[in-house]
Short mmCIF file of all heavy atoms in Angstrom, two decimals:
data_model
loop_
_atom_site.label_atom_id
_atom_site.label_comp_id
_atom_site.label_asym_id
_atom_site.label_seq_id
_atom_site.Cartn_x
_atom_site.Cartn_y
_atom_site.Cartn_z
N LYS A 1 0.85 -1.18 0.00
CA LYS A 1 0.00 0.00 0.00
C LYS A 1 0.89 1.24 0.00
O LYS A 1 1.83 1.33 0.79
CB LYS A 1 -0.91 0.03 1.23
CG LYS A 1 -1.84 1.25 1.30
CD LYS A 1 -2.55 1.31 2.64
CE LYS A 1 -3.49 0.13 2.80
NZ LYS A 1 -4.26 0.23 4.09
N VAL A 2 0.61 2.17 -0.90
CA VAL A 2 1.37 3.41 -0.99
C VAL A 2 0.42 4.59 -0.82
O VAL A 2 -0.57 4.70 -1.55
CB VAL A 2 2.10 3.54 -2.34
CG1 VAL A 2 2.90 4.85 -2.39
CG2 VAL A 2 3.02 2.36 -2.58
N LEU A 3 0.71 5.44 0.15
CA LEU A 3 -0.06 6.66 0.36
C LEU A 3 0.76 7.83 -0.16
O LEU A 3 1.92 7.99 0.22
CB LEU A 3 -0.38 6.85 1.84
CG LEU A 3 -1.09 5.68 2.54
CD1 LEU A 3 -1.27 5.98 4.02
CD2 LEU A 3 -2.44 5.41 1.89
N PHE A 4 0.17 8.62 -1.05
CA PHE A 4 0.89 9.78 -1.57
C PHE A 4 -0.08 10.93 -1.84
O PHE A 4 -1.31 10.75 -1.88
CB PHE A 4 1.66 9.42 -2.84
CG PHE A 4 0.83 9.22 -4.08
CD1 PHE A 4 0.66 10.25 -5.01
CD2 PHE A 4 0.22 8.00 -4.33
CE1 PHE A 4 -0.10 10.06 -6.15
CE2 PHE A 4 -0.55 7.81 -5.48
CZ PHE A 4 -0.70 8.84 -6.39
N THR A 5 0.50 12.11 -2.01
CA THR A 5 -0.29 13.33 -2.23
C THR A 5 0.16 14.00 -3.52
O THR A 5 1.35 14.09 -3.80
CB THR A 5 -0.11 14.32 -1.06
OG1 THR A 5 -0.55 13.69 0.15
CG2 THR A 5 -0.90 15.59 -1.29
N GLN A 6 -0.81 14.46 -4.30
CA GLN A 6 -0.53 15.25 -5.50
C GLN A 6 -1.58 16.36 -5.61
O GLN A 6 -2.78 16.09 -5.56
CB GLN A 6 -0.58 14.38 -6.76
CG GLN A 6 -0.21 15.16 -8.04
CD GLN A 6 -0.75 14.48 -9.29
OE1 GLN A 6 -1.94 14.19 -9.38
NE2 GLN A 6 0.12 14.24 -10.25
N ASN A 7 -1.09 17.60 -5.73
CA ASN A 7 -1.98 18.75 -5.87
C ASN A 7 -3.05 18.81 -4.79
O ASN A 7 -4.22 19.12 -5.04
CB ASN A 7 -2.65 18.74 -7.25
CG ASN A 7 -1.66 18.86 -8.39
OD1 ASN A 7 -0.62 19.49 -8.24
ND2 ASN A 7 -1.97 18.23 -9.52
N GLY A 8 -2.64 18.49 -3.55
CA GLY A 8 -3.55 18.58 -2.43
C GLY A 8 -4.51 17.42 -2.29
O GLY A 8 -5.36 17.40 -1.38
N ILE A 9 -4.42 16.44 -3.18
CA ILE A 9 -5.30 15.27 -3.13
C ILE A 9 -4.52 14.08 -2.60
O ILE A 9 -3.39 13.81 -3.03
CB ILE A 9 -5.87 14.94 -4.53
CG1 ILE A 9 -6.66 16.14 -5.09
CG2 ILE A 9 -6.76 13.69 -4.47
CD1 ILE A 9 -7.13 15.94 -6.51
N ASP A 10 -5.09 13.37 -1.64
CA ASP A 10 -4.46 12.18 -1.07
C ASP A 10 -4.91 10.93 -1.81
O ASP A 10 -6.12 10.74 -2.05
CB ASP A 10 -4.82 12.05 0.42
CG ASP A 10 -4.26 13.20 1.25
OD1 ASP A 10 -3.14 13.67 0.93
OD2 ASP A 10 -4.93 13.64 2.21
N TYR A 11 -3.95 10.08 -2.15
CA TYR A 11 -4.24 8.85 -2.86
C TYR A 11 -3.75 7.64 -2.06
O TYR A 11 -2.77 7.72 -1.31
CB TYR A 11 -3.55 8.84 -4.23
CG TYR A 11 -4.05 9.87 -5.20
CD1 TYR A 11 -3.49 11.14 -5.25
CD2 TYR A 11 -5.09 9.57 -6.08
CE1 TYR A 11 -3.94 12.09 -6.16
CE2 TYR A 11 -5.55 10.51 -7.00
CZ TYR A 11 -4.97 11.77 -7.03
OH TYR A 11 -5.43 12.71 -7.91
N GLU A 12 -4.43 6.52 -2.26
CA GLU A 12 -4.01 5.25 -1.69
C GLU A 12 -3.93 4.22 -2.80
O GLU A 12 -4.94 3.88 -3.41
CB GLU A 12 -5.00 4.78 -0.62
CG GLU A 12 -4.63 3.43 -0.01
CD GLU A 12 -5.65 2.97 1.02
OE1 GLU A 12 -5.89 3.73 1.99
OE2 GLU A 12 -6.21 1.86 0.83
N VAL A 13 -2.71 3.75 -3.07
CA VAL A 13 -2.49 2.76 -4.13
C VAL A 13 -2.32 1.39 -3.50
O VAL A 13 -1.49 1.21 -2.60
CB VAL A 13 -1.23 3.09 -4.95
CG1 VAL A 13 -1.07 2.08 -6.09
CG2 VAL A 13 -1.31 4.50 -5.52
N ASN A 14 -3.06 0.43 -3.98
CA ASN A 14 -2.87 -0.96 -3.57
C ASN A 14 -2.35 -1.76 -4.76
O ASN A 14 -2.89 -1.67 -5.87
CB ASN A 14 -4.19 -1.55 -3.07
CG ASN A 14 -4.51 -1.08 -1.66
OD1 ASN A 14 -3.90 -1.53 -0.70
ND2 ASN A 14 -5.46 -0.14 -1.56
N SER A 15 -1.28 -2.52 -4.51
CA SER A 15 -0.59 -3.20 -5.60
C SER A 15 0.02 -4.50 -5.10
O SER A 15 0.29 -4.67 -3.91
CB SER A 15 0.51 -2.28 -6.14
OG SER A 15 1.26 -2.94 -7.12
N LYS A 16 0.26 -5.39 -6.04
CA LYS A 16 0.95 -6.64 -5.71
C LYS A 16 2.46 -6.42 -5.60
O LYS A 16 3.14 -7.07 -4.80
CB LYS A 16 0.67 -7.70 -6.79
CG LYS A 16 -0.74 -8.25 -6.78
CD LYS A 16 -1.01 -9.10 -5.55
CE LYS A 16 -2.37 -9.78 -5.64
NZ LYS A 16 -2.66 -10.56 -4.40
N ILE A 17 2.99 -5.52 -6.44
CA ILE A 17 4.44 -5.34 -6.53
C ILE A 17 4.77 -3.85 -6.55
O ILE A 17 4.08 -3.06 -7.20
CB ILE A 17 5.00 -5.98 -7.82
CG1 ILE A 17 4.67 -7.47 -7.87
CG2 ILE A 17 6.52 -5.77 -7.92
CD1 ILE A 17 5.01 -8.13 -9.20
N ILE A 18 5.83 -3.49 -5.85
CA ILE A 18 6.37 -2.14 -5.91
C ILE A 18 7.81 -2.21 -6.43
O ILE A 18 8.58 -3.08 -6.02
CB ILE A 18 6.31 -1.43 -4.55
CG1 ILE A 18 6.74 0.05 -4.69
CG2 ILE A 18 7.14 -2.13 -3.49
CD1 ILE A 18 6.45 0.89 -3.45
N ILE A 19 8.13 -1.33 -7.37
CA ILE A 19 9.50 -1.22 -7.88
C ILE A 19 10.10 0.08 -7.37
O ILE A 19 9.61 1.16 -7.68
CB ILE A 19 9.52 -1.25 -9.43
CG1 ILE A 19 8.97 -2.59 -9.94
CG2 ILE A 19 10.94 -1.03 -9.96
CD1 ILE A 19 8.88 -2.68 -11.46
N GLY A 20 11.15 -0.05 -6.58
CA GLY A 20 11.83 1.12 -6.04
C GLY A 20 12.86 1.64 -7.02
O GLY A 20 13.92 1.04 -7.18
N ALA A 21 12.54 2.75 -7.68
CA ALA A 21 13.45 3.39 -8.63
C ALA A 21 13.69 4.83 -8.19
O ALA A 21 13.85 5.73 -9.00
CB ALA A 21 12.86 3.35 -10.03
N ASP A 22 13.73 5.02 -6.87
CA ASP A 22 13.74 6.36 -6.30
C ASP A 22 15.11 6.77 -5.75
O ASP A 22 15.21 7.54 -4.79
CB ASP A 22 12.66 6.50 -5.22
CG ASP A 22 12.63 5.35 -4.22
OD1 ASP A 22 13.14 4.26 -4.54
OD2 ASP A 22 12.08 5.53 -3.13
N GLY A 23 16.18 6.29 -6.40
CA GLY A 23 17.51 6.83 -6.13
C GLY A 23 18.18 6.34 -4.87
O GLY A 23 17.70 5.44 -4.18
N ASP A 24 19.34 6.97 -4.57
CA ASP A 24 20.19 6.47 -3.48
C ASP A 24 19.58 6.68 -2.10
O ASP A 24 20.00 6.05 -1.14
CB ASP A 24 21.57 7.14 -3.56
CG ASP A 24 21.51 8.62 -3.28
OD1 ASP A 24 20.74 9.33 -3.93
OD2 ASP A 24 22.27 9.08 -2.41
#
């Protein structure tokens, strides 16, 4: 589960797999 915010809106993503490509 990933909780994130964009333009003041809160989102909840549910997924089987997460790929971490977010740097060091």
Side-chain angles (χ1 to χ4, degrees):
K1 180 188 295 183
V2 181
L3 305 177
F4 73 97
T5 300
Q6 183 202 53
N7 298 328
I9 301 174
D10 295 324
Y11 294 90
E12 178 182 303
V13 183
N14 283 285
S15 175
K16 289 291 187 183
I17 302 172
I18 186 169
I19 298 177
D22 47 339
D24 67 306

